[in-house]
Amino acid sequence: MGRDHTIFALQKGFVRYYRDPDRHAERKYIGVVFERGMELPRGKGGSRWRRLGLEERAMEGSVEEEEGGEGSGDGGGTPAVKGGGGEVVLREGYQYRESNWSIGRTAERAGVKVRAYKPNDRWLAWRKTNERKERNAEKRSLRRKK
């Protein structure tokens, strides 16, 4: 949408006005489809339509083939890959990602020691505040010189 609330599309296609009960039952949405018969909204978790000048082909060893059937062994039906830090799992939104708790433990696995936080250490708080103020003053002076 433009600044003046004009609607424009980045690709050639057909305009569709539709309602999406999964998002907001009363709101109307506007979308662009590539072919006259296409409908909006796509199903939840459906793939995106993209016009990149390429044709769709099945990949060798794709996720659907690797999952096998119901008895694939991992219980959830989602493939998992062992990464450098922990187990990387296919998550919602089609992304392979390590879990948050595992990411949080990365420093511990690397052996990084962190100084314990002291809530009443006013000297440390005063030093950090002054360092931040000095950095900001330097940034402001550099902006003025331009």
Side-chain angles (χ1 to χ4, degrees):
M1 185 178 293
R3 275 204 261 177
D4 57 350
H5 298 275
T6 55
I7 299 168
F8 62 91
L10 299 176
Q11 291 289 328
K12 292 180 183 177
F14 300 91
V15 175
R16 294 281 181 259
Y17 296 89
Y18 64 97
R19 293 180 193 260
D20 190 354
D22 291 339
R23 284 191 189 167
H24 198 282
E26 301 298 318
R27 186 175 291 171
K28 281 188 177 180
Y29 293 93
I30 302 172
V32 176
V33 295
F34 300 135
E35 297 172 9
R36 192 176 290 273
M38 292 180 165
E39 292 295 323
L40 290 174
R42 298 288 304 225
K44 188 172 183 178
S47 61
R48 296 177 76 174
W49 291 319
R50 294 187 177 182
R51 184 178 289 179
L52 301 172
L54 305 174
E55 62 184 53
E56 186 176 330
R57 294 180 57 189
M59 293 177 51
E60 294 177 18
S62 65
V63 174
E64 291 79 22
E65 293 173 8
E66 290 174 7
E67 284 181 356
E70 296 143 353
S72 58
D74 63 348
T78 58
V81 179
K82 195 70 173 170
E87 192 171 284
V88 181
V89 179
L90 179 65
R91 298 196 175 268
E92 189 177 323
Y94 302 103
Q95 61 178 339
Y96 283 96
R97 187 171 181 279
E98 196 174 344
S99 58
N100 287 340
W101 68 268
S102 181
I103 293 170
R105 308 275 313 251
T106 305
E108 185 179 306
R109 281 194 304 268
V112 175
K113 299 292 181 193
V114 178
R115 195 170 60 194
Y117 174 69
K118 298 177 187 172
N120 293 329
D121 190 358
R122 297 308 307 151
W123 169 246
L124 179 64
W126 179 81
R127 277 191 321 193
K128 285 185 175 182
T129 302
N130 282 343
E131 288 172 4
R132 180 179 44 81
K133 287 179 181 177
E134 287 173 5
R135 281 194 311 267
N136 290 340
E138 185 178 347
K139 286 179 185 177
R140 278 194 304 273
S141 68
L142 291 174
R143 266 189 267 154
R144 290 181 190 145
K145 289 180 182 180
K146 289 181 182 180

